[in-house]
Amino acid sequence: MTTKDNIEKLFQETQDKMLDPKTDSTACITLMLDFADRVSVLLPDLFKEYERLEKNLATSRSYCNWLDKQYHAAHENAIKTLKGVP
């Protein structure tokens, strides 16, 4: 489970508790503060996950660009080769 998933689960649990008719306004404030505290602890891990995803995306883009160049070079070579074939 990723940090993002943990935060979403925590948010849903907090929201469910807050929407419970038995929960009074003081308890809602306590729930919000507890949620903020718990999420602030998870933020560094969330940023690490984001940085990892950004690196993976950059690597994928680089590979796609390289692959695109290889395709165009092969295409050009095929055209040149076929022009010489009767």
Side-chain angles (χ1 to χ4, degrees), residues 10 14 30-43:
L10 179 61
T14 303
T30 304
L31 287 168
M32 285 188 284
L33 292 173
D34 182 55
F35 174 78
D37 286 343
R38 293 171 70 184
V39 168
S40 67
V41 170
L42 294 173
L43 283 178

Side-chain angles (χ1 to χ4, degrees), residues 5-86:
D5 295 335
N6 288 335
I7 291 173
E8 287 176 349
K9 180 181 175 188
L10 179 61
F11 176 76
Q12 188 61 47
E13 289 171 358
T14 303
Q15 186 179 28
D16 291 345
K17 290 176 187 175
M18 289 176 67
L19 294 176
D20 186 353
K22 299 174 193 171
T23 306
D24 64 2
S25 60
T26 305
C28 283
I29 293 170
T30 304
L31 287 168
M32 285 188 284
L33 292 173
D34 182 55
F35 174 78
D37 286 343
R38 293 171 70 184
V39 168
S40 67
V41 170
L42 294 173
L43 283 178
D45 292 336
L46 186 64
F47 286 126
K48 286 178 188 172
E49 285 180 18
Y50 175 77
E51 288 172 347
R52 181 184 53 80
L53 290 172
E54 281 291 315
K55 286 179 185 175
N56 289 348
L57 180 61
T59 301
S60 296
R61 283 184 180 153
S62 175
Y63 178 70
C64 286
N65 288 337
W66 175 82
L67 204 57
D68 187 55
K69 287 178 185 176
Q70 297 302 313
Y71 167 78
H72 286 293
H75 183 257
E76 290 297 320
N77 287 338
I79 290 173
K80 289 176 187 175
T81 301
L82 289 176
K83 281 185 179 178
V85 175

